[in-house]
Amino acid sequence: MSLESPAAAERAFYTAFEQGSVDAMMAVWADRPDITCVHPLGSMLIGRQAVRESWLQIFLDASPRLFEIETVSTLYSPETAVHTVYETITIPPNGPRFPPIIATNAYRRIAGRWYMVLHHASPFAAPEDDAGSPMIRH
Amino acid sequence: MSLESPAAAERAFYTAFEQGSVDAMMAVWADRPDITCVHPLGSMLIGRQAVRESWLQIFLDASPRLFEIETVSTLYSPETAVHTVYETITIPPNGPRFPPIIATNAYRRIAGRWYMVLHHASPFAAPEDDAGSPMIRH
């Protein structure tokens, strides 16, 4: 698995997600006690054990998934990268296409390789009707 | 307005939000074309004009708001800071207390001061029943 750049780490993350492989998934995450993961509408999960258990639960549903990732926003500094992306998940070959998810993914450079330290995913309402229009209530 | 640290920038952000001041709010955001803002269930807003307009819309509702912020996760590097927090909003003095929001806030050091470059806020379902338990479907 290549983690030579934030983009490579992001590919490895979504490949592990598509494959439903907890080991491949956790190899993308940094070995730090403060890694942080928020699944859509879920609570904040901190640390490798909580993050790993969440992926085990998600991967219990072994349906194949394909991701289309549109990386819209990137922020780079020498040690940290933050991407905000639209994730569109489809179930191949002709299964449902779920509404897009917005995810913020942060990566940290550790010993020359880039590891995920944060994944914050959240649902995105009514993209057809609401593009560019924020909710009034925060 | 003091932006001498990520924590100071975060205080300035939530103070501007409580005050409903677009000028104070936009003074916290970096003067960059790639600043990124996601309001709960909203789309991804990029750039100062889109971000400013979203706050104008939110602040049309001039009800006073008070924020309680619990900063759970922090990631620091010399140029970038990422905080993930629970936001609990109440309407004083005895108004509703909204369910918590999870927000990822990223700050960038520019000319010695820290400015917001990303705010990604999302709803958090059923905290009483679901603490620590992620959704199965991503």
Side-chain angles (χ1 to χ4, degrees):
Chain A
M1 185 181 59
S2 162
L3 300 175
E4 83 276 8
S5 66
E10 192 147 271
R11 282 193 297 275
F13 171 77
Y14 286 108
T15 298
F17 204 157
E18 287 183 340
Q19 295 173 339
S21 166
V22 172
D23 288 343
M25 171 59 74
M26 293 312 297
V28 180
W29 285 83
D31 184 13
R32 290 170 57 120
D34 55 358
I35 59 171
T36 301
C37 186
V38 181
H39 297 293
L41 302 181
S43 56
M44 219 186 296
L45 305 174
I46 309 286
R48 288 186 67 88
Q49 183 176 343
V51 172
R52 181 184 181 89
E53 283 173 5
S54 75
W55 292 112
L56 274 172
Q57 285 196 48
I58 288 168
F59 295 160
L60 285 178
D61 174 2
S63 307
R65 313 169 178 82
L66 287 177
F67 281 84
E68 293 169 33
I69 302 303
E70 183 190 359
T71 303
V72 177
S73 164
T74 59
L75 171 73
Y76 295 118
S77 60
E79 307 296 334
T80 305
V82 183
H83 292 176
T84 306
V85 310
Y86 287 111
E87 303 176 350
T88 305
I89 305 180
T90 54
I91 305 298
N94 298 307
R97 181 182 174 89
F98 294 104
I101 294 286
I102 295 179
T104 294
N105 298 322
Y107 304 92
R108 186 68 179 266
R109 190 161 67 93
I110 300 169
R113 305 178 79 202
W114 290 85
Y115 294 90
M116 180 168 268
V117 287
L118 168 74
H119 173 67
H120 176 174
S122 66
F124 166 38
E128 291 82 8
D129 304 330
D130 190 44
S133 160
M135 286 183 52
I136 298 301
R137 273 220 345 235
H138 191 82
Chain B
M1 185 182 58
S2 162
L3 300 175
E4 84 277 7
S5 67
E10 193 147 270
R11 283 192 297 275
F13 172 76
Y14 286 108
T15 298
F17 204 157
E18 286 182 341
Q19 295 174 340
S21 165
V22 171
D23 288 344
M25 172 58 74
M26 293 313 296
V28 180
W29 284 83
D31 185 14
R32 289 171 58 120
D34 55 359
I35 59 171
T36 301
C37 186
V38 181
H39 297 293
L41 302 181
S43 57
M44 219 186 296
L45 306 173
I46 309 285
R48 288 187 67 88
Q49 183 176 342
V51 171
R52 182 184 180 89
E53 284 174 4
S54 75
W55 292 111
L56 275 170
Q57 285 196 48
I58 288 168
F59 295 160
L60 284 178
D61 173 1
S63 308
R65 313 169 178 81
L66 287 177
F67 282 83
E68 293 168 34
I69 303 302
E70 182 190 1
T71 303
V72 177
S73 163
T74 59
L75 171 74
Y76 295 116
S77 60
E79 307 296 333
T80 305
V82 183
H83 293 176
T84 306
V85 309
Y86 287 111
E87 303 177 349
T88 304
I89 306 180
T90 54
I91 305 297
N94 299 307
R97 181 183 174 90
F98 295 106
I101 294 286
I102 295 179
T104 294
N105 298 322
Y107 304 91
R108 187 67 178 266
R109 190 161 67 93
I110 300 168
R113 304 178 80 202
W114 289 85
Y115 294 90
M116 180 169 268
V117 288
L118 168 74
H119 173 67
H120 176 174
S122 67
F124 166 38
E128 290 82 9
D129 303 331
D130 190 43
S133 161
M135 287 182 54
I136 299 300
R137 272 221 346 236
H138 192 84

